[in-house]
Amino acid sequence: MSDPAMFTEKYGPWAVVVGGSEGIGSAFANELASRGINPVLVARTQSTLDEAAEGIRSANPGVEVRTIAVDLSVPEGAEQIIAATDGLEIGTLVYNVGSEPKYGDFIDHDWDMLASRLQRNFVSKARLVHHFAGLMAPRGRGALVLMGSVAGFGGSPGFALYASSKAFGHTLGEGLWVELAKHGIDVLTPVVGQTNTPTMVKAYGRVDGAAEPADIAREALDRVTNGPIWIEDKVRDLVAGRIGSEPAERVKTIGERAARMASGNPVGVS
């Protein structure tokens, strides 16, 4: 949508950006603010949220920014966000938490860690989508942006639960794209690959040629009316190859890539 005023009218006046303190989430918050929408930044650490909020305010005079420090890996996390946004007209929800820096076999991970991932990547996500989409529907407008990943297109040895959470997000987004269209709500799942976010750079190092968060946010919001899925150009061929490959070979190849990335020797973005 090229008209800034129309974008704000349809997707504002407020947006909740879950995972909004850094990386792709912060880029979404900045991009939304530049288009006149007030962002509510959600993340675990208040100091990081404060820094991100100040940067947005400085770059976008007149835009209001709020922050919510909350842990979505615990059951009460989503309810805290719902309570904190009561009374705000939320026109956009961006759900961007869920990156996984911990490589390892599923049964070797501590169950408490896995349970927290289930809460964050499945239950909290579904709860917030249900709540905010339910508020958007009577208004006949709004948007859900549910961040996806190339990891959702095949089982990933070493990142098995993470990959399954992305597959869940993709199929949830596709179904909601149809269901919510009759209420005037747009749903988009941007599918990205290796991206130079602070979390991933810290865990695995910077990857030459990887996507940049600001580019992803801008392009995704430009395409928010063109759901259900947008596959970022850098991974289009990779996704097509995974969809068309034989399952056993696909999983073997994905596992080799995951092991190399975890070892600090990533294989690039294609």
Side-chain angles (χ1 to χ4, degrees):
M1 187 176 295
S2 58
D3 187 327
M6 290 180 63
F7 188 95
T8 305
E9 182 178 350
K10 184 167 185 180
Y11 303 122
W14 288 90
V16 170
V17 184
V18 182
S21 64
E22 63 178 26
I24 294 174
S26 176
F28 267 107
N30 277 277
E31 185 66 28
L32 286 161
S34 75
R35 301 179 188 214
I37 293 178
N38 305 308
V40 180
L41 310 183
V42 179
R44 288 180 300 175
T45 306
Q46 187 63 57
S47 60
T48 309
L49 284 166
D50 291 341
E51 183 178 352
E54 184 55 37
I56 293 171
R57 294 186 187 104
S58 297
N60 302 277
V63 169
E64 187 175 350
V65 185
R66 298 192 184 184
T67 64
I68 305 172
V70 64
D71 184 357
L72 283 166
S73 68
V74 297
E76 60 269 24
E79 302 306 321
Q80 292 173 13
I81 295 172
I82 290 170
T85 55
D86 185 40
L88 292 182
E89 187 174 329
I90 306 298
T92 298
L93 170 66
V94 178
Y95 201 92
N96 179 63
V97 295
S99 62
E100 184 51 76
K102 293 187 177 181
Y103 174 81
D105 288 354
F106 182 80
I107 61 172
D108 292 337
H109 286 304
D110 178 82
W111 173 248
D112 288 342
M113 187 277 279
L114 294 173
S116 73
R117 299 303 197 258
L118 286 166
Q119 182 70 42
R120 182 190 67 184
N121 295 358
F122 292 84
V123 181
S124 293
K125 183 176 190 174
R127 176 66 177 114
L128 292 176
V129 167
H130 181 267
H131 172 74
F132 287 113
L135 295 179
M136 294 173 193
R139 299 195 295 265
R141 59 184 180 83
L144 304 177
V145 180
L146 310 178
M147 281 304 301
S149 169
V150 66
F153 289 92
S156 182
F159 296 108
L161 187 60
Y162 168 73
S164 68
S165 75
K166 289 304 180 181
F168 162 74
H170 295 174
T171 53
L172 176 66
E174 287 184 342
L176 294 178
W177 178 70
V178 174
E179 292 181 8
L180 296 176
K182 57 180 172 278
H183 299 291
I185 301 170
D186 294 319
V187 181
L188 182 71
T189 300
V191 173
V192 302
Q194 293 177 7
T195 306
N196 286 319
T197 65
T199 297
M200 301 310 287
V201 170
K202 181 179 179 180
Y204 308 117
R206 188 173 182 85
V207 178
D208 291 338
E212 296 299 330
D215 295 335
I216 290 171
R218 183 184 65 256
E219 293 184 47
L221 291 176
D222 283 346
R223 293 168 170 80
V224 72
T225 59
N226 301 324
I229 282 180
W230 165 61
I231 301 175
E232 196 261 338
D233 287 345
K234 293 179 183 293
V235 295
R236 189 169 293 276
D237 290 343
L238 180 57
V239 169
R242 289 190 177 183
I243 292 173
S245 64
E246 190 274 330
E249 184 62 30
R250 175 173 66 239
V251 174
K252 178 182 176 182
T253 301
I254 292 172
E256 291 172 350
R257 290 176 61 90
R260 291 182 64 179
M261 184 176 74
S263 71
N265 184 28
V267 293
V269 297
S270 61

